[in-house]
Amino acid sequence: MATINCPYCWTPHRRGDLHLRCGERCGADRGTTFPERQAKKGRCPHGNLPATRRVCPDCGKDLLREYVDSGGRNIAVIGSSDSGKSTWVGVLVHEFQRGQVHQRFDGMSLDLLGESSRDRYRDHFAVPLFEQGRPVDSTRSALVVTPEPLIFSLRFRQARRFGGTGVAPVVTVFYDTAGEDVARAQRMDELISYLDAAEGVILLLDPLQMPRVRELVGTNHEKTKYTEQLHVVNRLGELLRERRKGSAGKKLKTPLAIALTKVDLLREMFGPESPLRRPSGHDGVYDEADGLDVHEEVRGWLDQWYDPAFDRTIANTFQHYRYFGLSALGAPPVSGTELSRSGVHPYRLEDPMLWLLARFGAIKMKGKR
């Protein structure tokens, strides 16, 4: 029987081990939970109809029906401080809902699931980015507050075998981790369960954390401490192996998308024929040829401007990985409280997500080499 990872505490459970909750008719026992497999003819131990939602037996939180039925796709989004994780998530949802990505994938829709996800996205992402024109707030550490998931359903129109069209939902869970949790080993340990439950990982690299890039493009940052991006990769590999017996000496099978952010600042560092100077080629499908062109371009850039050891470490740790280059905003913020007056104009923002969706089989892939 397939297992379901709770999107709140990341604990895996078999479907029959999920709990149901007693309903209003149970009086004083209302809210009592019991394993679903103990339900007799669909009724609780008191003989009444239980509440409809399943409950995680570990953390006691309600699980959305669509998440349980689909099995969910947990995606971890990590990166050092200032890599733009929160901004990337906030703009990505907007682009899949009503932006350029929505227009290029006919019949696709994105729906945030549950009041918690809808309220969190509106208050922490949509309002600051698209109404107030300011950057999103920094994510709080997992030691201070448990990371809240952003759960949404992606639906793609698909042709049916015997004619007509159907809709295939892909329920996705995003977590946005604090930069200091990635940078500090003792805090990253708190996220082992979260990473272990991930079916895909998106690692965002901040080019301004790289000394040679800072010297070349110039920054107004007054920070004296920066995060070594290679250390983040090493730590990620260590944590993914923590609960996987026999993984020593073997490459990890969790697909890893490594995205170089803020490429709007790096435009002059890429030649005129660079694939990062042309629009995304993913129009209704994932264009593998375009993806591989970008992959090789970013890999060569990292060898030249950062450290050749980075790619060697990735290649020796992960069986499936891909490099990307993107800009979530399209232009740097004016200040810590104000975005560019040109607004939000993302560039290749969706590429890492589309690659994972293609690997999951949710969208088609063309141009395989």
Side-chain angles (χ1 to χ4, degrees), residues 180-330:
E180 62 265 33
D181 289 338
V182 177
R184 302 176 186 177
Q186 72 271 23
R187 295 190 176 185
M188 196 68 169
D189 287 337
E190 301 295 322
L191 303 176
I192 290 177
S193 296
Y194 146 62
L195 291 171
D196 188 54
E199 295 183 64
V201 176
I202 296 176
L203 169 63
L204 300 185
L205 299 179
D206 180 5
L208 298 183
Q209 301 280 331
M210 305 172 187
R212 293 186 63 196
V213 178
R214 287 200 303 275
E215 293 174 4
L216 188 67
V217 304
T219 72
N220 295 322
H221 288 200
E222 298 179 356
K223 293 174 60 174
T224 57
K225 293 184 179 180
Y226 294 90
T227 302
E228 178 60 70
Q229 304 296 281
L230 183 57
H231 292 171
V232 175
V233 170
N234 288 332
R235 190 63 186 153
L236 173 62
E238 292 171 1
L239 293 172
L240 285 172
R241 295 185 191 279
E242 283 292 330
R243 295 181 181 173
R244 305 181 188 195
K245 296 181 180 179
S247 64
K250 297 180 181 179
K251 293 184 179 182
L252 295 165
K253 294 183 179 180
T254 304
L256 174 67
I258 310 110
L260 185 68
T261 63
K262 306 175 185 177
V263 294
D264 53 285
L265 297 175
L266 313 176
R267 186 174 179 81
E268 300 306 317
M269 301 177 72
F270 295 100
E273 302 302 321
S274 168
L276 285 175
R277 282 180 173 264
R278 68 181 185 230
S280 173
H282 312 300
D283 189 1
V285 295
Y286 182 79
D287 188 336
E288 176 70 346
D290 178 78
L292 287 172
D293 285 345
V294 171
H295 171 80
E296 294 299 337
E297 180 80 349
V298 174
R299 175 159 58 184
W301 186 93
L302 288 169
D303 284 351
Q304 179 180 358
W305 296 104
Y306 178 45
D307 189 341
F310 185 89
D311 180 63
R312 291 198 297 268
T313 298
I314 292 287
N316 289 330
T317 305
F318 292 89
Q319 185 172 342
H320 307 287
Y321 69 96
R322 181 65 58 87
Y323 291 115
F324 302 90
L326 59 87
S327 173
L329 297 174

Side-chain angles (χ1 to χ4, degrees), residues 10-124:
W10 318 301
T11 307
H13 300 286
R14 292 181 299 176
R15 172 69 180 257
D17 291 334
L18 296 177
H19 283 200
L20 291 173
R21 197 186 304 276
C22 287
E24 297 287 337
R25 292 189 176 183
C26 293
D29 292 315
R30 178 183 60 188
T32 301
T33 65
F34 59 95
E36 183 178 358
R37 54 184 164 75
Q38 292 182 4
K40 296 181 179 179
K41 296 183 179 181
R43 296 183 177 272
C44 74
H46 308 99
N48 299 314
L49 290 175
T52 56
R53 285 185 178 175
R54 273 65 181 175
V55 178
C56 173
D58 276 57
C59 68
K61 290 195 174 183
D62 290 348
L63 305 180
L64 296 168
R65 178 65 177 267
E66 192 167 1
Y67 179 83
V68 173
D69 289 348
S70 71
R73 292 287 189 177
N74 299 324
I75 298 177
V77 183
I78 71 170
S80 57
S81 179
D82 292 336
S83 62
K85 300 179 301 299
S86 296
T87 302
W88 181 81
V89 170
V91 180
L92 183 84
V93 171
H94 180 271
E95 286 298 293
F96 272 82
Q97 275 189 322
R98 53 181 60 87
Q100 293 294 321
V101 182
H102 173 79
Q103 296 175 17
R104 297 205 311 269
F105 283 78
D106 183 47
M108 183 196 75
S109 64
L110 182 149
D111 298 304
L112 290 155
L113 301 181
E115 289 300 321
S116 176
S117 287
R118 287 190 286 270
D119 291 346
R120 182 168 177 250
Y121 179 73
R122 182 192 64 241
D123 297 340
H124 296 281

